[in-house]
Amino acid sequence: MRKEPTIRGKRAAGIVFAAALCCALALGAVGCSQNGQGTQSAQNGSETQQQATEGETRTFTDSAGRTVEVPAQIDRIAPAGHTATQVLLTMAPGKMVTLSQELTDDQAKYLGENYAELPVTGAAFGSKGDLNKEAVAASGAQILIDTGELKDGIAEELDTLQKQLGIPVVVIETTMDTYADAYKMLGELLGMEERGRELSEYCKAAYEETTSVMAGIPEGERVRVAYLLGDKGTNTIAKNSYQGQVVDLVADNVAELGKVSGSGQGVEISMEQLALWNPELILFSEDSIYSTVGSDAAFADLDAVKNGACYEVPATPWNWLNNPPTVNQVLGMQWLPRLLYPDQYDDDLYETVAGYFKTFYGYDLSESEFDKIAANAQPKA
């Protein structure tokens, strides 16, 4: 399923929005609107109380072990990149004053049109590293939050960025086994303990359910899976990569290459290599060759193709497995084992997915919407 085109003309409107927000804050405006994603915050109190706490600070220790002085009350957040954008849109969308990238119409449908209008400031790290520091400053953000994998040298990079921006910069680690801790930390950082606890408990329960199921399936009996990407289907997400965490957790990822890529585009392979692996089941990313692979002579001799064991990874509002690898993986680690080992579960996939959308996005997903999103991602009769 292809995403709808990116919303156009919203960046300029977002900048006007940010400027208006800054003016309102200067006049002592209080409160911060939230969408329906749980009990995210209470009223901020009187104007006098707001002004009294505006200059107060406290210390916070982030996942890199850095002790950072942050505002006592945080109401205006900028994400450092795409993983942080996704996480913060589930945790505290009403506190966000920028996005790292524009939302598509499809994403805005589930996340809220008003958030699609926020100014786009790019990402601090990654292949592009195109963070617009001036735009972050213009947004009035009190803090920049990064999430994701803790790479070597991250503490020094964050310290440098913090000096450049003149506002606190923190990182929260988000991996398959730390999402629960991450939301708890965010709750403490943002003064949103109840919301943080709600999302933390969900992530903990999802991870424990998945690991419990997989504990009963010996590694030698796990489905041999290849996750293929690109318009030729000759890129793959390698085993032991950050992008491949979900596949590695619940399947035997055949792409044991000895090298990994942090990019969502994966690693390029040859058809000869794919034939040697001959996976039992193939996952295709959105905008790959999924729809035509059945008639592609290059793939015809693969067991997965001959047996019809080919599926397309859902990509609403983001890819459920990776690109970027962030909280969408919590949904992916509930979907993929239900696809691979349906006999291990007695619940309905729609109910699982709808529960995720409700908890994380405050969106009531209908069965018809689910059928469209997961049209090529359910066990075949």
Side-chain angles (χ1 to χ4, degrees):
M1 181 178 65
R2 297 178 182 272
K3 285 188 175 67
E4 300 174 21
T6 302
I7 295 173
R8 302 297 182 186
K10 294 297 182 68
R11 186 174 298 184
I15 293 172
V16 173
F17 172 85
L21 177 60
C22 292
C23 291
L25 288 165
L27 294 173
V30 299
C32 187
S33 62
Q34 303 281 348
N35 68 358
Q37 300 178 40
T39 55
Q40 297 186 357
S41 66
Q43 292 296 326
N44 290 330
S46 69
E47 181 176 342
T48 301
Q49 292 172 323
Q50 172 80 11
Q51 292 173 339
T53 60
E54 186 72 22
E56 296 179 4
T57 62
R58 56 191 169 89
T59 57
F60 176 78
T61 302
D62 70 6
S63 296
R66 299 164 57 251
T67 299
V68 182
E69 189 173 353
V70 302
Q73 180 171 310
I74 298 174
D75 296 313
R76 305 184 300 281
I77 308 166
H82 307 328
T83 64
T85 287
Q86 285 196 34
V87 170
L88 293 172
L89 280 170
T90 66
M91 177 70 190
K95 292 179 181 285
M96 296 178 70
V97 292
T98 70
L99 298 173
S100 64
Q101 61 185 168
E102 293 179 355
L103 298 181
T104 65
D105 290 333
D106 185 52
Q107 291 166 346
K109 172 183 176 181
Y110 301 102
L111 302 169
E113 291 284 352
N114 50 327
Y115 303 118
E117 298 178 359
L118 293 174
V120 174
T121 53
F125 307 111
S127 58
K128 289 186 177 180
D130 58 354
L131 182 71
N132 186 330
K133 300 179 181 65
E134 292 76 14
V136 172
S139 73
Q142 298 168 285
I143 189 171
L144 187 88
I145 298 177
D146 191 22
T147 66
E149 183 181 21
L150 296 184
K151 299 180 179 180
D152 293 340
I154 185 63
E156 292 77 11
E157 291 181 354
L158 294 172
D159 287 342
T160 299
L161 183 59
Q162 182 168 282
K163 290 178 182 177
Q164 293 172 342
L165 291 174
I167 60 174
V169 176
V170 302
V171 63
I172 307 293
E173 183 181 28
T174 51
T175 58
M176 295 302 298
D177 58 345
T178 62
Y179 282 113
D181 295 333
Y183 276 112
K184 191 174 295 184
M185 285 182 69
L186 280 170
E188 295 170 358
L189 173 64
L190 302 177
M192 300 174 63
E193 287 82 359
E194 185 175 347
R195 177 61 174 164
R197 189 181 309 112
E198 178 186 18
L199 295 176
S200 175
E201 290 175 353
Y202 183 104
C203 292
K204 184 175 185 291
Y207 183 74
E208 289 181 348
E209 177 192 55
T210 302
T211 54
S212 176
V213 167
M214 296 315 301
I217 303 176
E219 290 192 10
E221 297 178 15
R222 297 182 182 184
V223 179
R224 299 178 63 255
V225 172
Y227 180 17
L228 304 181
L229 312 89
D231 56 4
K232 296 181 181 179
T234 52
N235 280 41
T236 188
I237 298 298
K239 189 172 186 176
N240 298 322
S241 67
Y242 188 63
Q243 295 274 348
Q245 291 181 90
V246 177
V247 179
D248 291 354
L249 179 65
V250 304
D252 178 5
N253 186 348
V254 299
E256 193 162 2
L257 296 170
K259 61 179 179 179
V260 300
S261 171
S263 167
Q265 303 307 311
V267 179
E268 188 172 2
I269 59 170
S270 65
M271 286 303 303
E272 290 77 13
Q273 178 63 75
L274 185 59
L276 287 173
W277 288 334
N278 195 21
E280 296 174 71
L281 183 145
I282 299 176
L283 300 171
F284 288 94
S285 67
E286 180 194 35
D287 295 331
S288 68
I289 61 169
Y290 169 79
S291 61
T292 59
V293 71
S295 59
D296 192 319
F299 287 81
D301 291 333
L302 296 176
D303 286 347
V305 175
K306 289 190 290 187
N307 297 329
C310 297
Y311 298 88
E312 188 174 37
V313 180
T316 297
W318 282 280
N319 184 296
W320 290 6
L321 296 184
N322 69 314
N323 201 25
T326 183
V327 67
N328 46 321
Q329 294 181 313
V330 175
L331 178 55
M333 74 173 168
Q334 295 178 89
W335 157 68
L336 187 54
R338 285 172 168 79
L339 171 68
L340 301 178
Y341 316 105
D343 293 343
Q344 297 290 326
Y345 296 88
D346 57 10
D347 56 1
D348 183 80
L349 181 58
Y350 161 66
E351 293 178 355
T352 300
V353 175
Y356 177 92
F357 272 68
K358 182 65 174 178
T359 303
F360 285 81
Y361 306 127
Y363 188 89
D364 293 310
L365 188 73
S366 69
E367 288 197 53
S368 62
E369 289 171 326
F370 164 77
D371 289 340
K372 183 179 179 181
I373 291 171
N376 302 315
Q378 301 184 64
K380 299 170 183 176

